[in-house]
Amino acid sequence: LGRYDKAQEYQEKALAIRKEMGEKEGEAASYGNLGTLFRSLGRYDKAQEYQEKALAIRIEICDKEGEAASYGNLGALFESLGRYDKAQEYQEKALAIRIEMGNRKGQAVSYANLGTLFGWLGEHDEAFRYFDAALLITKSIGCRRTEAIIYGKLAVLFFSSGKFLKGDDYLKKARGIRMKLGDRGGEAEDYRNLGVISFQRGEYTKAQEYLEKALGIHLKMGHRAEEALEYSYIATQIMVDSKMLRGHRQDVVVKKEAIIRGLHQSKR
């Protein structure tokens, strides 16, 4: 939480300076950054307030790219709040501007955001349509990192549709790209998704294996103890819930202690 407090402090200082100087574009950027920060903290009322301030300024100064970004941020916020009608409205506004501006990468992001949204709504055919459009663009412009993100999102959608083989295939594609790019954080996210999906399929040993791989990456990257412990908790919880281990809870305790020891050793 301390890091967020510092981030807020510096963003507010930047905002004050930009307002004093009359630097409207920078002021909008600061409002947008603060909105994103408050969303991360779950303070959705403040997040909406700041994102709407950013949007208003960007409309005023005719910053179309910034306007699209604000619509996208507000769309993501409303999705978090479960207000899917508003989320769709704002994501479609972002997409329309990016098409008008010829921003191909931005279009891919908007298509992927809409795909995720329709996935939440259970409208899988529509979700696949948007993801296919996003994937077509990312391949044409050679944006491999975004391509990997879309593969990961498609994998989740396939699994939620009960198409496990297709889901496995797309997760492997995402992981392959991320490993080539050295995107360790993304690779860990894919391992985590594989772990959760394996758990849902009743493959508890495999779930544990994937989640521990995710944990190992986070430890090597020097992530905060709380983040790494969250992964160890997930791995341990899977073992606790597993029918195979219901009579062996001491094994679970020992395993968790080993994970925590590894965490503390990595911090030295």
Side-chain angles (χ1 to χ4, degrees):
L1 189 58
R3 291 193 307 173
Y4 287 112
D5 289 340
K6 273 294 180 187
Q8 181 180 344
E9 177 188 342
Y10 286 123
Q11 287 293 349
E12 287 174 345
K13 285 181 178 179
L15 174 61
I17 292 170
R18 286 163 169 170
K19 288 176 74 173
E20 182 182 342
M21 295 176 64
E23 210 269 277
K24 302 295 277 185
E25 186 174 347
E27 183 182 344
S30 290
Y31 279 130
N33 290 337
L34 281 163
T36 300
L37 174 65
F38 282 121
R39 181 185 167 216
S40 299
L41 292 169
R43 296 177 61 184
Y44 298 123
D45 54 340
K46 294 294 289 184
Q48 182 176 346
E49 175 189 341
Y50 282 112
Q51 292 294 358
E52 287 177 346
K53 285 182 177 180
L55 174 61
I57 292 172
R58 285 163 169 167
I59 291 173
E60 177 190 343
I61 64 175
C62 297
D63 176 9
K64 300 298 285 185
E65 292 286 0
E67 185 182 343
S70 289
Y71 282 131
N73 289 335
L74 281 162
L77 173 62
F78 284 121
E79 184 178 323
S80 298
L81 292 168
R83 296 176 61 184
Y84 298 122
D85 54 340
K86 293 293 289 184
Q88 181 180 346
E89 175 189 342
Y90 281 112
Q91 293 294 359
E92 287 176 346
K93 285 182 177 180
L95 175 60
I97 292 172
R98 285 163 171 166
I99 290 173
E100 179 189 345
M101 301 294 293
N103 180 348
R104 298 285 283 162
K105 185 176 180 180
Q107 289 171 44
V109 170
S110 290
Y111 281 128
N113 288 340
L114 283 162
T116 301
L117 175 61
F118 280 105
W120 280 115
L121 292 170
E123 298 182 27
H124 292 165
D125 288 343
E126 195 72 359
F128 282 123
R129 186 173 71 83
Y130 279 112
F131 279 128
D132 285 344
L135 199 54
L136 185 65
I137 292 172
T138 54
K139 285 183 174 181
S140 69
I141 63 177
C143 187
R144 298 286 280 165
R145 191 176 298 272
T146 305
E147 185 181 344
I149 292 170
I150 294 169
Y151 281 138
K153 289 177 179 290
L154 274 166
V156 172
L157 185 59
F158 276 119
F159 279 113
S160 65
S161 305
K163 300 175 181 177
F164 298 115
L165 290 177
K166 291 286 285 185
D168 281 333
D169 182 47
Y170 276 93
L171 267 177
K172 287 174 184 174
K173 287 181 179 180
R175 287 170 56 212
I177 294 172
R178 282 169 166 162
M179 289 176 74
K180 286 180 181 177
L181 294 175
D183 180 7
R184 298 290 282 161
E187 189 182 344
E189 183 181 344
D190 287 333
Y191 278 128
R192 182 180 183 277
N193 287 337
L194 280 167
V196 172
I197 290 162
S198 296
F199 174 60
Q200 291 172 339
R201 294 169 67 176
E203 298 173 352
Y204 300 112
T205 301
K206 188 177 288 187
Q208 176 190 341
E209 176 188 336
Y210 284 131
L211 287 166
E212 287 182 351
K213 284 183 178 180
L215 173 61
I217 291 171
H218 281 282
L219 291 173
K220 288 179 181 177
M221 292 176 70
H223 283 181
R224 296 169 65 236
E226 291 82 358
E227 294 172 349
L229 279 172
E230 181 181 353
Y231 281 96
S232 71
Y233 170 77
I234 294 169
T236 303
Q237 189 63 43
I238 283 177
M239 288 186 284
V240 170
D241 289 339
S242 169
K243 292 179 181 178
M244 294 183 297
L245 290 172
R246 286 202 186 279
H248 304 280
R249 288 182 179 259
Q250 184 58 38
D251 293 346
V252 173
V253 173
V254 170
K255 187 64 179 177
K256 184 173 183 180
E257 289 175 351
I259 292 171
I260 293 172
R261 279 200 304 274
L263 169 64
H264 290 310
Q265 288 169 1
S266 72
K267 292 167 64 182
R268 291 174 185 167

